[in-house]
């Protein structure tokens, strides 16, 4: 074999080139010669020295590639002893920073190092011996990031590496703690669930014991690194109270607000077990044993009949509802409990499980928009389940649903996921933090908004028009008017506002063609000294010189005016005036007399009354 100059002078570089080239997955873009040389040199800079039990992280921003095809990018090299979860955890961390990974290769090398960590040689993977260890080499290319993004990314990658190392190192101790808690339980299904998790169905990441006095002990895994505090003090207090209220309670399943850095970037699942001590007055909860982890894909995909606790819910609900397990209803229930995420079901009450499952049962054969909200234990999270026909699913519709949920609940969105059925039904699952939220919204109201959002403007307007009970008339009016409302109107006003405006314009169309109508109302966001007033005109245009003096003589001050012409004015015009109220007047007081005020203003606009300063008396100022 001919020895090249490159091989003779730097065998490490040659070995790394070979490893990087071989680790490109089928279907990925192979390295060209220049890119491979640059990547190998960069990785070698990172791998040259690494202390035991430490990671090396190197980042560089610039333009790389051949002279004719160089492009700006950020490249990252990470050297670590080989262990589980490295690639998926680091890739998720990079993606969470909003960066797109354009190349990722992951060779595992047999590195021989000196006692101080200097690289001596790179051997074949099969070689072992003193000073030789399997090392993970991760090389990543992403889009370029600015200095601020790079600093944030570097910090988060270090946190992730620390969590991975701690979780892997403490894994046996974390498993032992869960096995100990499982063996101490009285309820067979509670014990079976923890044993089931301990057999590979939970990616166990950490464990700690929280005492009643607020002290933490026996922290393992991520609980001694980034997640030293899994719950807020107030949540721990509620958990102690929850177990104290019922001495038979052995297991509390909740979500953490903290995202997992290891394996999958999702909210951590917490399994809390009380440690009780017997006293003269009965048992007392002295501490809480908290296990943190992430459900594995295999666990989430397991049939409900194989998941401890969940199989008990299935049997109890089947009996409660009188279903035949082999009949259509029994199979539909099983299908629903299979499709709904197990991690949310086990953290919910049986009543909520029944409600969510039976809602989904009625949608499999007849997909349509539906919504169900479930408040989790300790009143920390709200789980939102949204079903819709698959054809209505898009990024825009999902984002619109998120906006609706966060706006109506005042909660913070933590996580979402999507499940698309083999048929025509899609299910979105949302996890919201409701600790700082206001009053929980009404499910029926939210579902109505969901229907309006997904069915589109025309159908939503028709639905509002149908409230008077005349469906045929509502369909005819919506068909004629709804599509005439321009996007600028729809961005501000709701389908309910449009239905009100249509009724007013329709009334004018059957009366005097030149008559005007008036509506006084408030929009969300108006303060106590502001109102909106709409002037409707069936034909012709409204000159501001006709309207503004009238409003001013009633004591109002016009802030803005927005005109909307329907079908170029053929169906009428809507002029919305944003008004500041007279000094001493409050919106609520004027709205209580809205009908009288509307009639008075309309009379003046239609020439049926004289426009003068005396009109201020109608508003209530002298």
């Amino acid at each position: 074999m001919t020895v090249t100059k490159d091989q003779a002078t730097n065998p490490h570089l040659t070995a790394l080139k070979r490893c990087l080239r071989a680790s490109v997955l089928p279907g990925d873009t192979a390295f060209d010669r220049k890119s491979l040389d640059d990547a190998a040199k960069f990785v070698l800079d990172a791998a040259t020295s690494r202390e035991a039990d430490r990671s090396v992280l190197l980042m560089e921003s610039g333009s790389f590639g051949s002279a004719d095809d160089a492009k700006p990018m950020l490249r990252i090299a990470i050297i670590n002893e080989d262990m589980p979860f490295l690639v998926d955890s680091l890739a998720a961390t990079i993606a969470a920073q909003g960066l797109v990974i354009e190349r990722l290769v992951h060779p595992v090398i047999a590195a021989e190092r000196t006692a101080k960590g200097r690289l001596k040689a790179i051997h074949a993977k099969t070689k072992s011996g003193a000073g030789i260890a399997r090392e993970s080499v991760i090389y990543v290319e992403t889009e370029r990031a600015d200095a601020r993004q790079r600093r944030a990314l570097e910090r988060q990658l270090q946190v992730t590496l620390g969590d991975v190392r701690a979780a892997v190192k403490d894994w046996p101790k974390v498993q032992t703690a869960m096995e100990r808690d499982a063996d101490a339980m009285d309820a067979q299904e509670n014990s079976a669930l923890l044993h089931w998790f301990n057999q590979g169905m939970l990616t166990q990441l950490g464990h700690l014991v929280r005492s009643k006095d607020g002290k933490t002990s026996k922290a393992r895994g991520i609980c001694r690194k980034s997640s030293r505090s899994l719950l807020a003090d107030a949540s721990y207090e509620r958990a102690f109270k929850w177990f104290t209220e019922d001495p038979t309670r052995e297991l509390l399943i909740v979500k953490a607000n903290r995202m997992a850095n290891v394996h999958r970037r999702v909210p951590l699942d917490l399994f809390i077990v009380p440690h009780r001590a017997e006293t003269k007055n009965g048992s007392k909860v002295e501490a809480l044993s908290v296990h943190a982890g992430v459900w594995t894909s295999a666990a989430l995909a397991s049939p409900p009949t194989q998941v401890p606790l969940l199989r008990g819910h299935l049997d109890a609900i089947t009996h409660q509802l009188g279903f035949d397990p082999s009949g259509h209803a029994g199979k539909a229930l099983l299908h629903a409990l299979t499709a709904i995420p197990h991690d949310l079901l086990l953290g919910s009450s049986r009543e909520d499980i029944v409600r969510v499952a039976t809602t989904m049962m009625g949608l499999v054969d007849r997909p349509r928009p539906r919504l169900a909200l479930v408040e989790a234990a300790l009143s920390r999270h709200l789980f939102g389940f949204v079903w819709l026909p698959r054809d209505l699913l898009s990024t825009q519709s999902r984002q619109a649903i998120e906006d609706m949920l966060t706006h109506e609940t005042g909660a913070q969105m933590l996580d979402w996921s999507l499940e698309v059925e083999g048929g025509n039904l899609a299910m979105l699952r949302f996890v919201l933090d409701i600790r700082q939220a206001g009053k929980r919204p009404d499910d029926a109201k939210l579902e109505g908004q969901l229907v309006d959002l997904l069915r589109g403007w025309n159908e939503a307007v028709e639905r509002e028009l149908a409230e008077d009970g005349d469906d045929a008339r509502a369909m005819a009016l919506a068909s004629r008017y709804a599509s005439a409302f321009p996007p600028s109107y729809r961005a501000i006003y709701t389908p309910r506002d449009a239905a009100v405006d249509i009724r007013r314009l329709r009334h004018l169309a059957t009366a005097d063609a030149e008559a005007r109508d008036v509506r006084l109302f408030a929009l969300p966001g108006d303060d106590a000294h502001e109102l909106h007033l709409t002037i409707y005109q069936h034909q012709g245009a409204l000159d501001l010189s006709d309207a503004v003096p009238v409003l001013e003589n009633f004591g109002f001050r016009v802030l803005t005016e927005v005109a909307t012409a329907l079908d170029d004015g053929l169906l009428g015009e809507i002029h919305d005036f944003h008004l500041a109220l007279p000094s001493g007047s409050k919106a609520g007081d004027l709205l209580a007399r809205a009908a009288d005020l509307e009639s008075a203003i309309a009379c003046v606009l239609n020439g049926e009354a004289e426009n003068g300063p005396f009109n201020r008396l109608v508003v209530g100022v002298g």
Side-chain angles (χ1 to χ4, degrees), residues 458-517:
N458 289 16
E459 289 189 47
V461 172
E462 180 183 332
R463 181 171 172 268
E464 295 294 340
L465 288 167
E467 285 193 348
D468 60 10
D470 190 343
D471 291 347
R473 183 169 180 270
M475 183 181 299
L477 288 175
S479 177
R480 185 180 183 190
Y481 284 91
S483 60
F485 288 91
S488 57
Y489 178 100
R490 304 181 195 189
I492 301 174
Y493 307 101
T494 67
R496 179 168 298 177
D497 293 320
V500 172
D501 291 345
I502 290 171
R503 292 190 184 99
R504 298 266 186 157
L505 288 170
R506 180 59 181 168
H507 175 73
L508 287 180
T510 59
D512 185 349
E514 296 183 358
R516 293 161 176 162
D517 194 7

Side-chain angles (χ1 to χ4, degrees), residues 128-146:
S128 61
I132 301 177
R134 286 171 56 88
E135 293 191 3
S136 170
V137 175
I138 300 175
Y139 173 75
V140 180
E141 294 175 1
T142 78
E143 57 187 311
R144 177 178 278 181
D146 60 31

Side-chain angles (χ1 to χ4, degrees), residues 274-287:
H275 286 179
R276 302 180 187 271
E278 294 299 326
T279 67
K280 295 180 179 180
N281 299 321
S283 65
K284 178 183 178 181
V285 181
E286 290 188 325

Side-chain angles (χ1 to χ4, degrees), residues 92 119 191 563:
L119 184 65
S191 176

Side-chain angles (χ1 to χ4, degrees), residues 379-609:
S379 300
R380 299 172 61 253
H381 295 127
L382 192 66
F383 302 145
F385 299 91
V386 174
W387 296 270
L388 62 157
R390 185 176 59 184
D391 291 344
L392 295 182
L393 180 65
S394 66
T395 299
Q396 291 76 16
S397 62
R398 190 261 303 167
Q399 291 174 339
I401 294 170
E402 280 190 25
D403 291 342
M404 179 190 74
L405 289 173
T406 54
H407 179 267
E408 293 297 325
T409 61
Q412 176 189 356
M413 185 67 65
L414 291 178
D415 188 39
W416 68 274
S417 64
L418 169 67
E419 180 77 22
V420 179
E421 288 290 295
N424 192 34
L425 184 67
M427 178 178 65
L428 286 163
R429 177 210 75 173
F430 300 96
V431 181
L432 299 103
D433 178 3
I434 58 172
R435 291 176 301 169
Q436 305 300 323
K439 183 179 179 181
R440 172 179 164 171
D442 178 74
D443 289 33
K445 177 185 175 183
L446 265 181
E447 187 167 279
Q449 294 183 24
L450 172 69
V451 172
D452 291 346
L453 185 154
L454 294 175
R455 285 183 175 174
W457 175 264
N458 289 16
E459 289 189 47
V461 172
E462 180 183 332
R463 181 171 172 268
E464 295 294 340
L465 288 167
E467 285 193 348
D468 60 10
D470 190 343
D471 291 347
R473 183 169 180 270
M475 183 181 299
L477 288 175
S479 177
R480 185 180 183 190
Y481 284 91
S483 60
F485 288 91
S488 57
Y489 178 100
R490 304 181 195 189
I492 301 174
Y493 307 101
T494 67
R496 179 168 298 177
D497 293 320
V500 172
D501 291 345
I502 290 171
R503 292 190 184 99
R504 298 266 186 157
L505 288 170
R506 180 59 181 168
H507 175 73
L508 287 180
T510 59
D512 185 349
E514 296 183 358
R516 293 161 176 162
D517 194 7
V518 173
R519 176 193 174 206
L520 192 67
F521 63 101
L523 280 178
D526 289 349
D527 66 24
H529 304 288
E530 294 178 358
L531 281 175
H532 280 257
L533 182 138
T534 296
I535 298 177
Y536 303 92
Q537 184 151 315
H538 176 58
Q539 288 184 358
L542 174 70
D543 290 331
L544 291 181
S545 59
D546 291 341
V548 173
V550 172
L551 298 177
E552 289 178 345
N553 282 329
F554 273 88
F556 300 114
R557 179 165 59 90
V558 176
L559 301 176
T560 60
E561 183 265 349
V562 177
T564 302
L566 302 186
D567 194 12
D568 294 327
L570 296 178
L571 293 177
E573 288 194 358
I574 302 169
H575 294 263
D576 177 26
F577 292 87
H578 187 191
L579 305 176
L581 305 187
S583 176
S585 298
K586 293 184 179 180
D589 296 336
L590 297 188
L591 288 175
R593 299 187 292 115
D596 292 337
L597 287 172
E598 290 170 357
S599 177
I601 296 172
C603 284
V604 175
L605 289 170
N606 290 323
E608 299 171 6

